[in-house]
Amino acid sequence: MSAHVHKYAFLPRRVKLWADTFGRDLYNTVTKYSGSLLLQKKYKDVEPSLKIKEVDGLELVRKFSEDMENMLRRKVKAVKSLVEAAEEADLNHEFNASLVFDYYNSVLINEKDEKGNFVELGAEFILEPNAHFSNLRVNTSISSVQLPTNVYNKDPDILNGVYMSEALNPVFVENFQRDPTLTWQYFGSSTGFFRIYPGIKWTPDKNGVIAFDCRNRSWYIQAATSPKDIVILVDMSGSMKGWRMAIAKHTITTILDTLGENDFVNIIAYNDYVHYIEPCFKGILVQADRDNREHFKQLVDELVVKGMGVVDQALIEAFQILKQFQGAGQGSLCNQAIMLITDGAVEDYEPVFEKYNWPDHKVRVFTYLIGREVTFADRLKWIACNNKGYYTQISTLAGAQEKVMEYLHVLSRPMVIDHDHDVIWTEAYMDSKLLTSKTQSLMLLTTVAMPVFSKKNETRSHGILLGVVGSDVTLRELMKLAPRYKLGVHGYAFLNTNNGHILSHPDLRPLYREGKKLKPKPNYNSVDLSEVEWEDQAGVLRTAMINGETGSFSMDVKVPLDKGKRVLFLTNDYFFTDISDTPFSLGMVLSRGHGERILLGNTSVEEGLHDLLHPDLTLASDWIYCLTDIDPDHRKLSQLEAMIRFLKGEDPELECDEELVREVLFDAVVTAPMEAYWTALALNISDESEQGVDLAFLGTRAGLLRSSLFVGSEKVSDRKFLTPEDEASIFTMDHFPLWYRQASEQPPGSFVFNLRWADGPEGAGEPVAVTASTAVAVTVEEKKTAIAAAVGIQMKGEFLQRQFWAATQQCSAEDAQCPQSCKDSDLDCFVIDNNGFILISERSQETGRFLGEVDGALMTQLLSMGVFSQVIVYDYQAMCKALDHHPSSAQPLVSPVSAFLTVTRWLVKELLL
């Protein structure tokens, strides 16, 4: 912390006197009330019995990977049992066109008519809140069935499929009993119905429409078809004007929505000549990730019709791209297809197929006849049928969805005939998209899915896809298998896909704030690893993880803290390996030095139990000290309650992490004297001037937290501090507390200060409190140092200011007379923290702001003096608010570079250290 005075007429020694006086008073206050010297002594006393273990990063990341692999294998086993049950049920079911069958319709359950009777398909369905399913009201005894609004709930195909799939109910329940960590299990039928377990009531949107169609979901599409290379040819001749062009554009958009990260695509428009709608993609296929799909959609929307349609040149171009890509070992290396969208074809196109696609028929050609005219229907049918494709006519916007989905069934036929039950894993997505209900939190998920085929002899040769079964895996549960206490204060684990996209990372920010609501960012599930670990400029880490390699990599990094206001300079060691039988790779970060060491101590269970029961002690609620998810009876237990039952031997069924439990017991014993110390201080506070300290707190590497109030709870200036409402100040799955992380990089005994805000950490409202924290380190065995704990206090903001203004009234012995204090003079006085933010100013509106904003000349001077240095950090996940008005309603993106910038919008933040 620095005290600076502007306007240099004042004597430097007076300023130094003020700074020294204020610094001494402040240090005495925070040292006294935090008890930092006592805590350091307690750890010093036990140093002879301590050991420090160096972490073997490669061994640890392999262990985490194996644990995750075993967890995911259990999910695959559950899905396979559903596939077997569904295929067996279909084999034994005879289609009945007049079948009458009542089932639990997710939208209609528990609905009554005006007479008080349950509506048809809406019988009584017991629903109870369940913490395992985000506190939603569910029925874990049976599944329910959802249908989109445009699917008739009594269609014979629907009724037969729903009746057949009733056989999945006992399998759903059995799977959940065998693996209680399972979440949603479901069966998406090719006919459009969606059976979900546990059963749940489905709420229509505000217009009464159920838009969710399981066949549009990425897990369904990826499981139903292999990866594919697609070239879309769209007729832009004059005959396509008006509503035909609108249908064509909607058809292309619908096709794009069926593609994913494992697919490759390009779009070629043709009339008198052939042209790529994105000139920068000429002659290539691009990955069908979200950014590229959205870019294509914008360009399609701007297409204009004119001239004649010359389809043969467009077909030649498409065949050449596909052949070139497959020959070069690029693209999906699997299915290849051409989508021809036109209102007719008149020229001689047969020679093109003879030269490029016959007799092997490696490329399937799908034809879409736009409009109600059938003049060219036979020609387009001939093209599709002679190239192993599918013909369909689309005459309305509403019909595009169903018609486009047919191509997926055609592409799935080889898989069905060969019975290739490929297991697929999806990219990360949010369950709020799956469930249009009141989830308490948005969680990222991945889905494991497998296709379900008809095994009937009469249909097997036709390749009939019955649907797809899947189960969700919450990434939060998966990441619990990489415990925080093994990774150190700055360490973390992360997952990414073989496409380089982040699956889980503590710095992934998938949401943005719009007013008071949090919403998913448009590209939240396609954030690249290079956008988070941005210092990996050569792509060494990214390339190795995409290739599923095992190894290590070191990198100097800048770690932003406190929403980018502060930064730490660290050297990180990265360890990585693949997770077998999945497209995922696991990465793990340990910060060099104390971050790669674990402190080991011994204490008796009896002594530790006594100190664990102190009322001021809590444990990190997100951490897994004991497994409480497996047995339903354990789910009501807090981690502290579970640990105490485990240590007392009251529940032999409880499984706990014995190494972590030993660490907690040791920390509980060493830190126990702090309670008596803080209590004695609180009892001795009588002077009103001493009422400025709200509370003291400490945290240990094992996630143990102690706190003690010096004032009544109603007088605490910032009540959100150390509560779940303020994730930055507590131990979470992703991070150690902000005050702990900052203190750990300061010399032990040196305090670091942070402002606290009245309206939360967003920086809105008045700063009402200041926290001060310092690290407690131990040094044993060949002078190895490990951070054992951090301790600090929270003070009222005005208390800190009173101390400073009092200090500025001091006079030195050399002063002939004592002039005005800083506050009463015409000087501009600031107290600035070590990141350039104003802690104290006589103008309250300046408190908490960056000094460079308030007085740029002073900050420039301090920079030139070397007091601060400028640090540049990139935020590639930042979003820029779109302008409300544009000079043109149509602004085409002229290159993929501008498309990238539009979607990701990186923002440079200049931080000062």
Side-chain angles (χ1 to χ4, degrees):
M1 182 183 299
S2 304
H4 292 284
V5 177
H6 199 21
K7 298 185 178 176
Y8 304 107
F10 214 77
L11 295 175
R13 68 171 182 271
R14 180 70 55 79
V15 178
K16 186 176 187 309
L17 174 64
W18 293 348
D20 290 345
T21 304
F22 175 59
R24 182 178 60 253
D25 293 346
L26 184 58
Y27 181 80
N28 290 338
T29 299
V30 295
T31 303
K32 173 184 175 181
Y33 286 97
S34 69
S36 60
L37 297 180
L38 174 63
L39 186 60
Q40 181 72 66
K41 180 180 183 302
K42 292 301 177 183
Y43 274 103
K44 187 74 175 175
D45 290 344
V46 296
E47 272 186 13
S49 65
L50 295 179
K51 292 184 179 180
I52 290 181
K53 182 177 76 173
E54 296 280 353
V55 178
D56 185 331
L58 275 177
E59 179 185 337
L60 190 58
V61 78
R62 287 191 181 104
K63 169 70 166 56
F64 290 166
S65 174
E66 289 173 7
D67 292 344
M68 291 181 179
E69 180 187 337
N70 291 333
M71 177 185 177
L72 297 179
R73 190 179 291 124
R74 293 196 300 270
K75 314 306 178 190
V76 173
K77 183 179 180 181
V79 168
K80 285 183 176 177
S81 66
L82 292 171
V83 171
E84 292 168 2
E87 292 184 346
E88 191 65 24
D90 176 71
L91 183 62
N92 298 325
H93 174 72
E94 291 295 329
F95 185 85
N96 180 359
S98 57
L99 177 67
V100 176
F101 175 63
D102 287 335
Y103 59 91
Y104 289 112
N105 185 297
S106 292
V107 178
L108 302 175
I109 52 176
N110 298 332
E111 294 290 325
K112 294 183 178 181
D113 58 23
E114 60 275 4
K115 296 181 180 179
N117 300 318
F118 287 108
V119 299
E120 199 172 14
L121 303 181
E124 182 179 9
F125 195 79
I126 298 173
L127 296 169
E128 297 176 334
N130 190 308
H132 188 62
F133 295 93
S134 303
N135 286 321
L136 293 169
R137 293 171 57 81
V138 299
N139 186 323
T140 55
S141 301
I142 195 169
S143 62
S144 58
V145 176
Q146 176 268 347
L147 295 99
T149 298
N150 62 345
V151 175
Y152 178 43
N153 59 27
K154 287 191 175 181
D155 182 279
D157 287 335
I158 295 293
L159 288 176
N160 278 268
V162 170
Y163 179 79
M164 174 274 292
S165 63
E166 285 281 301
L168 296 179
N169 277 318
V171 186
F172 284 140
V173 176
E174 184 182 341
N175 282 342
F176 189 46
Q177 290 174 343
R178 188 188 309 116
D179 180 6
T181 65
L182 277 173
T183 55
W184 306 101
Q185 304 173 67
Y186 37 83
F187 170 64
S189 168
S190 60
T191 58
F193 73 82
F194 180 62
R195 181 178 289 279
I196 184 169
Y197 172 88
I200 189 169
K201 185 169 179 61
W202 207 283
T203 307
D205 64 19
K206 60 185 179 182
N207 299 316
V209 174
I210 303 294
F212 178 88
D213 189 328
C214 62
R215 296 168 297 179
N216 295 338
R217 306 300 292 182
S218 63
W219 53 266
Y220 184 100
I221 293 167
Q222 290 180 45
T225 63
S226 302
K228 46 200 172 291
D229 298 336
I230 301 288
V231 178
I232 301 173
L233 303 182
V234 56
D235 185 351
M236 295 302 301
S237 62
S239 61
M240 288 285 288
K241 65 182 178 181
W243 60 271
R244 289 186 181 181
M245 196 65 239
I247 295 172
K249 289 179 178 179
H250 182 60
T251 301
I252 296 172
T253 297
T254 307
I255 293 173
L256 289 171
D257 285 338
T258 66
L259 305 180
E261 293 180 353
N262 296 321
D263 304 318
F264 289 79
V265 67
N266 206 336
I267 303 177
I268 298 175
Y270 69 91
N271 41 32
D272 297 324
Y273 64 99
V274 173
H275 60 280
Y276 291 81
I277 69 168
E278 172 49 81
C280 291
F281 295 162
K282 183 176 182 179
I284 63 170
L285 297 174
V286 296
Q287 190 176 21
D289 57 26
R290 187 193 181 280
D291 292 350
N292 284 331
R293 295 199 307 270
E294 293 303 312
H295 181 46
F296 275 133
K297 287 178 185 178
Q298 183 174 352
L299 296 175
V300 165
D301 192 50
E302 295 160 1
L303 291 175
V304 178
V305 299
K306 62 179 178 180
M308 299 286 292
V310 185
V311 73
D312 58 340
Q313 293 301 314
L315 286 167
I316 290 171
E317 187 73 21
F319 279 119
Q320 287 178 338
I321 295 176
L322 295 171
K323 182 178 181 180
Q324 173 191 339
F325 249 60
Q326 192 164 63
Q330 297 175 295
S332 69
L333 303 178
C334 199
N335 291 311
Q336 292 196 320
I338 295 172
M339 309 296 199
L340 177 59
I341 301 169
T342 180
D343 63 345
V346 294
E347 64 270 16
D348 186 12
Y349 37 73
E350 185 171 343
V352 177
F353 300 123
E354 288 179 350
K355 181 176 179 180
Y356 291 97
N357 207 35
W358 295 348
D360 297 330
H361 297 87
K362 290 182 179 180
V363 178
R364 295 178 183 269
V365 182
F366 296 86
T367 54
Y368 299 87
L369 179 61
I370 304 300
R372 295 187 175 87
E373 297 292 332
V374 295
T375 307
F376 298 102
D378 290 341
R379 297 182 184 184
L380 292 178
K381 284 180 185 176
W382 182 92
I383 292 175
C385 293
N386 283 279
N387 291 279
K388 297 173 69 175
Y390 188 86
Y391 159 82
T392 189
Q393 184 172 7
I394 303 177
S395 55
T396 65
L397 290 172
Q401 182 72 49
E402 287 289 331
K403 299 293 181 67
V404 165
M405 295 300 292
E406 290 294 336
Y407 94 87
L408 295 175
H409 293 265
V410 176
L411 289 184
S412 70
R413 284 175 187 166
M415 292 172 54
V416 180
I417 294 170
D418 295 337
H419 258 56
D420 292 333
H421 286 94
D422 291 338
V423 177
I424 68 100
W425 293 89
T426 67
E427 70 280 359
Y429 69 97
M430 290 182 182
D431 65 352
S432 62
K433 295 291 185 182
L434 171 65
L435 299 167
T436 55
S437 48
K438 304 179 185 68
T439 52
Q440 293 206 349
S441 62
L442 290 166
M443 293 188 298
L444 287 174
L445 313 167
T446 181
T447 291
V448 55
M450 292 178 66
V452 179
F453 308 135
S454 173
K455 295 169 66 175
K456 294 178 179 177
N457 289 332
E458 64 270 24
T459 61
R460 190 164 184 168
S461 61
H462 298 297
I464 303 299
L465 176 73
L466 300 176
V468 172
V469 294
S471 179
D472 290 342
V473 179
T474 58
L475 295 172
R476 183 180 180 83
E477 291 299 316
L478 192 59
M479 296 312 293
K480 284 181 179 179
L481 299 176
R484 287 295 297 115
Y485 79 97
K486 288 183 178 290
L487 302 177
V489 57
H490 303 301
Y492 56 90
F494 61 94
L495 291 168
N496 70 292
T497 71
N498 55 3
N499 287 307
H501 291 158
I502 291 294
L503 201 67
S504 176
H505 194 291
D507 292 332
L508 176 66
R509 303 192 308 278
L511 303 176
Y512 74 98
R513 187 175 295 278
E514 188 175 280
K516 293 185 177 181
K517 291 185 178 180
L518 288 173
K519 293 185 177 182
K521 293 179 181 177
N523 64 323
Y524 75 90
N525 59 0
S526 60
V527 175
D528 196 90
L529 179 61
S530 61
E531 296 173 47
V532 179
E533 300 290 348
W534 58 271
E535 286 99 340
D536 180 30
Q537 295 176 3
V540 176
L541 176 67
R542 182 183 186 276
T543 301
M545 294 190 69
I546 285 177
N547 293 334
E549 297 174 8
T550 298
S552 61
F553 174 67
S554 296
M555 192 161 58
D556 291 331
V557 298
K558 302 167 191 161
V559 181
L561 298 177
D562 195 15
K563 299 189 180 298
K565 292 181 180 178
R566 311 175 196 286
V567 68
L568 296 178
F569 294 90
L570 302 174
T571 298
N572 282 347
D573 290 328
Y574 292 79
F575 304 91
F576 47 86
T577 190
D578 70 321
I579 300 177
S580 299
D581 301 320
T582 74
F584 307 144
S585 281
L586 170 66
M588 186 186 78
V589 175
L590 298 175
S591 60
R592 190 74 60 82
H594 63 77
E596 294 180 318
R597 298 171 189 151
I598 292 181
L599 190 65
L600 300 176
N602 287 312
T603 190
S604 68
V605 172
E606 294 76 17
E607 188 180 12
L609 260 175
H610 174 269
D611 291 328
L612 271 178
L613 295 171
H614 285 197
D616 72 323
L617 184 149
T618 59
L619 295 180
S621 59
D622 279 355
W623 291 20
I624 307 300
Y625 300 87
C626 297
L627 291 174
T628 56
D629 282 343
I630 303 301
D631 187 337
D633 290 337
H634 295 158
R635 287 182 179 148
K636 63 180 181 295
L637 298 175
S638 70
Q639 286 295 316
L640 182 57
E641 291 168 339
M643 185 188 297
I644 290 171
R645 289 178 65 169
F646 170 75
L647 291 170
K648 289 182 175 180
E650 295 177 349
D651 193 338
E653 299 297 319
L654 262 174
E655 295 180 36
C656 296
D657 186 325
E658 295 191 18
E659 182 181 340
L660 181 55
V661 170
R662 284 200 306 272
E663 287 193 41
V664 170
L665 284 178
F666 171 74
D667 287 342
V669 171
V670 176
T671 62
M674 299 299 292
E675 182 184 28
Y677 176 85
W678 288 333
T679 301
L681 277 179
L683 291 174
N684 289 327
I685 294 177
S686 57
D687 193 321
E688 187 66 29
S689 64
E690 293 190 40
Q691 297 286 328
V693 181
D694 288 337
L695 61 90
F697 55 87
L698 70 84
T700 74
R701 179 174 166 139
L704 178 149
L705 185 69
R706 289 185 187 272
S707 61
S708 180
L709 286 173
F710 293 128
V711 297
S713 58
E714 74 283 354
K715 294 182 179 179
V716 175
S717 50
D718 181 10
R719 299 181 188 181
K720 289 184 179 180
F721 184 59
L722 300 183
T723 68
E725 289 179 291
D726 179 19
E727 284 193 354
S729 67
I730 61 173
F731 292 90
T732 68
M733 275 189 60
D734 292 334
H735 289 300
F736 274 61
L738 172 64
W739 48 267
Y740 194 115
R741 299 183 74 193
Q742 286 186 273
S744 68
E745 297 307 310
Q746 298 284 329
S750 171
F751 286 84
V752 63
F753 294 80
N754 272 321
L755 280 173
R756 303 282 308 170
W757 299 85
D759 297 333
E762 296 298 323
E766 289 294 317
V768 296
V770 178
T771 60
S773 57
T774 186
V776 176
V778 295
T779 304
V780 298
E781 295 179 350
E782 301 173 359
K783 302 298 181 183
K784 293 177 183 175
T785 300
I787 302 297
V791 62
I793 62 171
Q794 176 177 287
M795 301 173 286
K796 290 180 171 60
E798 63 269 21
F799 171 72
L800 192 68
Q801 293 187 38
R802 284 202 310 271
Q803 277 201 322
F804 176 66
W805 300 127
T808 64
Q809 294 176 347
Q810 301 297 311
C811 298
S812 66
E814 293 87 352
D815 286 322
Q817 58 180 1
C818 195
Q820 296 172 303
S821 71
C822 178
K823 190 173 184 180
D824 298 326
S825 70
D826 61 349
L827 298 171
D828 293 334
C829 301
F830 305 107
V831 175
I832 313 160
D833 70 10
N834 61 343
N835 292 105
F837 290 92
I838 299 173
L839 286 177
I840 299 173
S841 171
E842 56 188 304
R843 293 178 289 275
S844 61
Q845 69 272 19
E846 294 175 352
T847 308
R849 293 178 63 189
F850 179 57
L851 178 63
E853 295 179 88
V854 174
D855 193 331
L858 175 56
M859 177 52 73
T860 301
Q861 180 72 17
L862 295 176
L863 281 169
S864 66
M865 293 167 59
V867 176
F868 294 104
S869 60
Q870 185 170 310
V871 181
I872 296 178
V873 175
Y874 295 93
D875 181 2
Y876 289 96
Q877 296 182 71
M879 292 180 63
C880 290
K881 187 176 181 181
L883 297 175
D884 294 332
H885 301 287
H886 295 287
S888 169
S889 60
Q891 292 188 342
L893 297 173
V894 296
S895 73
V897 175
S898 59
F900 170 79
L901 293 177
T902 299
V903 177
T904 59
R905 291 293 189 190
W906 58 264
L907 174 66
V908 177
K909 291 186 176 179
E910 293 188 353
L911 305 182
L912 294 175
L913 183 68

